[in-house]
Amino acid sequence: MLSGKPAGASLLLLYFLLYIAESYPNIDSSSMGCEECKLRLNKSFSRDRPIYQCMGCCYSRAYPTPLGSMRTMMIPKNITSEATCCVAKHSYEIKFGDITLRNHTECHCSTCYFHKI
Amino acid sequence: MSIKMDKAVFSCWLLFLLFCPAVPMCLPTDFMLYVEKPECDYCVAINTTICTGFCFSRDSNMRDILRPRFLIQRGCTYDRVEYRTTILPGCPAYTNPVFTFPVALSCHCGACRTDSDECTHRASTNGARCTKPVRQVFPYPGQSNYMIPF
């Protein structure tokens, strides 16, 4: 009976902390829970008018290359990596001083072009 | 004494919740790999572990000017990998029945290494399909680079 009370308190604290974690905005989610890919305000450029930037989490996976696919490769690779990245679906040009920026208006998970090394 | 133990357990829980992600991200996941060679009688189903999940990425407002700078693009990929070997059943003696496959020990969100990995957006076929009878292989736990007899 005495051990039941701390267990109940632990559960209550667990629910409370999960609620707090889910309500945290604008945190680099690489080491924490993952927020969806969406528009967020770019505070560095948002002075006269709001500049939005696409950021968030997208699905990806890496798995052993199927045997059939490996036979068609010029250089066979044991592992296939499928990745999608949060990028702007629509944007428009906007002037920020002498610099031309792109203000993002819609985001989606699509092809990653700069994730290879 | 029991109250002190309960407090210690409580503190551990608190630290665990603060430093661990609330939502699972890029993690090792069970996966059934289907291997079929034209010269063999069976399609072999091998239970392995792959990396799947969600990774953070960020587009840049200055991509036209600065290209990949300030871009964050990562994929869920293998961190530590172990290669295991199995013998495919029903293969003629003149063929090589040995098949080696990767097993994910840990995963991370990182760049795709073009020297070892095939980096794609989405594979053209959604998994291998068997045209022959399926036989399953169960790898021994804790075994690495061992010949797994079918």
Side-chain angles (χ1 to χ4, degrees), chain A residues 14 29-30 32 42 52-54 56 58 60-63 77 79 81-82 86 88 100-102 113-115 117, chain B residues 14 17 25 50-51 53 55-57 59 61-62 64-65 71 73-74 76 111-112 114 117-118 120-121 123:
Chain A
L14 170 67
S29 304
S30 60
M32 290 187 67
N42 188 331
Y52 293 99
Q53 186 179 22
C54 290
C58 294
S60 56
R61 64 173 185 162
Y63 54 91
K77 308 271 177 72
I79 291 168
S81 173
E82 294 176 357
C86 184
T100 303
L101 302 176
R102 294 209 73 89
Y113 289 110
F114 301 103
H115 74 308
I117 55 170
Chain B
L14 195 60
L17 287 168
M25 291 179 56
I50 65 170
C51 292
C55 290
F56 179 80
S57 52
D59 202 350
N61 296 108
M62 295 187 288
D64 294 345
I65 311 166
L71 269 176
Q73 295 199 338
R74 303 176 194 143
C76 181
C112 182
T114 54
D117 303 350
E118 179 70 11
T120 65
H121 171 63

Side-chain angles (χ1 to χ4, degrees), chain B residues 13-82:
Chain B
W13 258 112
L14 195 60
L15 284 169
F16 172 76
L17 287 168
L18 284 172
F19 293 108
C20 287
V23 177
M25 291 179 56
C26 174
L27 294 172
T29 310
D30 285 339
F31 180 78
M32 193 64 76
L33 175 65
Y34 293 95
V35 181
E36 185 175 291
K37 285 188 174 181
E39 57 272 21
C40 301
D41 296 333
Y42 301 104
C43 178
V44 182
I46 302 171
N47 199 3
T48 184
T49 307
I50 65 170
C51 292
T52 65
F54 290 84
C55 290
F56 179 80
S57 52
R58 186 181 72 189
D59 202 350
S60 170
N61 296 108
M62 295 187 288
R63 209 205 304 187
D64 294 345
I65 311 166
L66 297 176
R67 290 285 165 171
R69 200 165 176 81
F70 301 117
L71 269 176
I72 298 175
Q73 295 199 338
R74 303 176 194 143
C76 181
T77 186
Y78 292 76
D79 184 9
R80 287 184 303 125
V81 61
E82 182 180 87

Side-chain angles (χ1 to χ4, degrees), chain A residues 74-90:
Chain A
M74 290 288 288
I75 303 169
K77 308 271 177 72
N78 289 331
I79 291 168
T80 295
S81 173
E82 294 176 357
T84 56
C85 293
C86 184
V87 294
K89 190 174 183 182
H90 298 295

